[in-house]
Amino acid sequence: MERTKFTLDEEEIPRYWYNIQADLPEPLPPVLHPATGKPVTPDDLAPLFPMELIKQEVSTERWIEIPEEVRDIYQLWRPTTLFRAHRLEKALDTPAKIFYKYEGVSPPGSHKPNTAVAQAYYNKQEGVNRITTETGAGQWGSALSFGGACFGIEIKVYMVRISYDQKPYRRVMMETWGAKCVPSPSEDTKVGRDMLAKDPDCPGSLGLAISEAVEDCVSRDDTHYSLGSVLNHVLLHQTVNGLEAKKLMEKADAYPDIIVGCIGGGSNFAGLFLPFVKDKIDGTKPDLRIINVEPASCPTVTKGPYAYDFGDEAGLTPLIKMFTLGHGFIPPPIHAGGLRYHGMAPIICHLNRLGLVEARAEHQLDTFKAGVTFARTEGIISAPETNHCIKVAIDEALKCRESGESKTILIAHSGHGHVDMAAYDAYFSGKLQDYAYPDEKIEEALAELPKVG
Ligand SMILES: *Cc1c(COP(=O)(O)O)cnc(C)c1O
């Protein structure tokens, strides 16, 4: 019998996160202050984040120690398992070897608590007892709510309206962990009230929910803000997964030819691939392909320009150099709520520009079809976000069937879809549709890009 599961002992949970900034061939472009156009200083960010996270954001130290308290909580679900997808391979009749590293076993059901717990910890260390945040599909909100529960921190979540209506159970999860969740746009902030006055039926966007969470944070002294993706320190915390994956691939006596993952803000996939991209940078694995998969309806990396933009709708955040669809872009209401963001992690954008990673966009219906194939072979019902990279993994495996090559494909499996069954229901009843790339809408939003330098 060939092995299906590859696992590590609890003592083998990594003791350090891997910081790609130590190994980048060229440094990241600076993050700019929106008023001065100058690089932001730690003091500029201090109202939002604890100093330890601000330091991590710009650190070029290769290894950053994971605090013991954080590792203790990681033990609740880490290390996570690497699976060999024998049954999927068989169904596809492919000589490819497909592996997936499964993050759906965490309490909230995705990779997100890898950073939520760390961020809650550093806030607690600095004496902060209230944190605001935004959430798209509700996964980040539930992860931070869980992190807040671990350290006794009050969490206030602004949840994108469309998901708040589509996914009520995510809100109940947040409440079960003790957090407060309101739909965004909300009446609780000026940004929210202004938007409701303009458009009472506004479905919301991640950018707008970020504006509300930031406004709430900076209008009080006792509150910090937390972001679940995009930023360097978030990707850093997620590398705990990639470091495990590297050890596990060794145990499986394999090394990936292709790594695929879905990208919303880029954190889960970067967390998996960053320890591998290092091998590409130092020349040991020049042929490794790393494919970032995004929705065709929100094609940030495949269609957006590389430019300085705000991280939020209202323009309250610093300016970040990234691929962007414009901070005013409101993506169509696809069910992969976690992938509906106008921007992308600067680290992923930078690696893309350097030719170290590539990107692809997929339509919603194809991704659900792939997700159903995966569920009927491997058993796991995946998050709609994850289905995007499963689609590409299947495509690559089918190419191997054509060519007869036996490539090794590693999927970053970011989470389960148990709270997304309404989306599967819509798919089965023929109510899901594809959304074409809304060119005019994106052009409108791009016209408002901030002018820099
Ligand atoms: C949030 C989420 C994503 C997208 O966010 P990234 O920061 O790009 O990882 C993908 N998959 C799942 C299951 C998620 O919850």
Side-chain angles (χ1 to χ4, degrees):
M1 218 169 77
E2 271 198 276
R3 294 264 316 252
T4 297
K5 298 198 298 300
F6 299 87
T7 53
L8 297 169
D9 290 334
E10 283 181 17
E11 306 81 69
E12 295 176 274
I13 297 173
R15 290 178 187 277
Y16 295 85
W17 290 302
Y18 168 61
N19 182 10
I20 185 72
Q21 292 193 78
D23 293 309
L24 287 173
E26 292 168 29
L28 289 168
V31 169
L32 304 180
H33 193 288
T36 63
K38 298 242 162 63
V40 288
T41 65
D43 285 347
D44 294 332
L45 298 174
L48 296 176
F49 304 112
M51 205 38 82
E52 269 319 299
L53 293 180
I54 295 170
K55 282 193 213 149
Q56 290 177 3
E57 194 58 23
V58 292
S59 169
T60 51
E61 255 174 74
R62 183 168 293 114
W63 300 103
I64 295 182
E65 191 163 11
I66 305 178
E68 209 44 52
E69 291 88 333
V70 173
R71 273 183 93 246
D72 283 348
I73 297 173
Y74 279 174
Q75 263 177 282
L76 292 174
W77 73 95
R78 307 211 70 87
T80 63
T81 300
L82 176 75
F83 289 85
R84 170 87 185 268
H86 290 296
R87 296 173 53 81
L88 177 62
E89 290 168 18
K90 209 165 180 191
L92 300 174
D93 189 23
T94 175
K97 297 187 186 72
I98 307 175
F99 291 87
Y100 55 98
K101 181 76 160 42
Y102 183 49
E103 287 290 282
V105 289
S106 76
S110 76
H111 65 284
K112 289 196 169 79
N114 295 332
T115 185
V117 168
Q119 293 193 43
Y121 167 80
Y122 289 116
N123 275 287
K124 192 69 184 185
Q125 287 296 100
E126 226 176 70
V128 171
N129 289 310
R130 182 175 182 269
I131 304 176
T132 60
T133 196
E134 71 291 329
T135 194
Q139 286 130 325
W140 170 243
S142 47
L144 191 66
S145 301
F146 163 66
C150 293
F151 294 100
I153 299 173
E154 184 187 332
I155 306 291
K156 167 87 177 272
V157 182
Y158 292 86
M159 182 169 186
V160 176
R161 165 110 244 166
I162 167 107
S163 297
Y164 187 91
D165 294 337
Q166 280 176 349
K167 305 186 177 186
Y169 295 132
R170 280 282 169 194
R171 169 179 58 76
V172 185
M173 288 171 76
M174 295 179 224
E175 289 167 356
T176 305
W177 278 308
K180 182 155 192 264
C181 172
V182 294
S184 166
S186 78
E187 294 285 352
D188 296 2
T189 66
K190 181 173 180 309
V191 171
R193 288 188 295 271
D194 287 353
M195 182 53 91
L196 286 172
K198 239 178 21 190
D199 177 8
D201 299 323
C202 177
S205 68
L206 262 184
L208 182 66
I210 295 174
S211 300
E212 289 207 272
V214 169
E215 182 189 320
D216 180 327
C217 164
V218 297
S219 64
R220 303 171 52 142
D221 300 334
D222 64 344
T223 300
H224 268 166
Y225 164 73
S226 163
L227 193 62
S229 190
V230 179
L231 299 180
N232 304 339
H233 67 262
V234 179
L235 274 57
L236 172 78
H237 301 155
Q238 293 296 348
T239 59
V240 68
N241 187 34
L243 293 165
E244 289 175 6
K246 246 185 139 173
K247 281 195 210 165
L248 287 165
M249 287 300 287
E250 272 172 37
K251 276 202 170 185
D253 208 8
Y255 191 92
D257 295 298
I258 300 174
I259 314 182
V260 295
C262 64
I263 50 165
S267 71
N268 89 83
F269 191 35
L272 184 87
F273 79 61
L274 286 174
F276 291 92
V277 91
K278 183 174 187 298
D279 300 342
K280 214 169 142 87
I281 293 172
D282 69 22
T284 38
K285 296 285 176 186
D287 298 328
L288 168 64
R289 288 180 61 204
I290 297 169
I291 308 177
N292 292 264
V293 190
E294 61 185 9
S297 57
C298 188
T300 311
V301 180
T302 50
K303 297 262 176 94
Y306 186 57
Y308 272 102
D309 198 4
F310 295 104
D312 70 319
E313 202 270 344
L316 303 176
T317 71
L319 293 168
I320 304 171
K321 187 95 181 259
M322 58 186 173
F323 291 107
T324 177
L325 297 172
H327 58 279
F329 177 71
I330 297 196
I334 57 160
H335 274 276
L339 307 184
R340 298 171 71 244
Y341 182 61
H342 69 271
M344 187 53 60
I347 286 176
I348 290 198
C349 300
H350 189 63
L351 292 171
N352 185 288
R353 300 272 296 178
L354 293 170
L356 290 162
V357 304
E358 55 194 287
R360 213 178 278 181
E362 294 293 339
H363 280 288
Q364 172 161 262
L365 289 176
D366 290 340
T367 67
F368 272 93
K369 181 165 178 251
V372 170
T373 301
F374 193 82
R376 289 180 186 173
T377 50
E378 294 301 311
I380 292 169
I381 299 176
S382 309
E385 290 83 359
T386 316
N387 287 343
H388 284 70
C389 59
I390 293 175
K391 158 73 167 65
V392 171
I394 290 177
D395 285 351
E396 292 297 326
L398 292 175
K399 277 188 209 160
C400 286
R401 182 169 75 189
E402 293 299 306
S403 67
E405 285 170 291
S406 168
K407 287 194 177 156
T408 299
I409 301 171
L410 172 60
I411 300 173
H413 196 303
S414 52
H416 69 65
H418 299 176
V419 197
D420 300 286
M421 295 322 293
Y424 279 83
D425 191 30
Y427 173 67
F428 290 127
S429 58
K431 287 190 202 121
L432 272 201
Q433 58 184 105
D434 284 337
Y435 292 90
Y437 167 60
D439 287 289
E440 324 78 47
K441 287 239 156 121
I442 290 174
E443 256 146 52
E444 263 168 48
L446 288 180
E448 290 165 25
L449 280 184
K451 305 276 172 287
V452 174

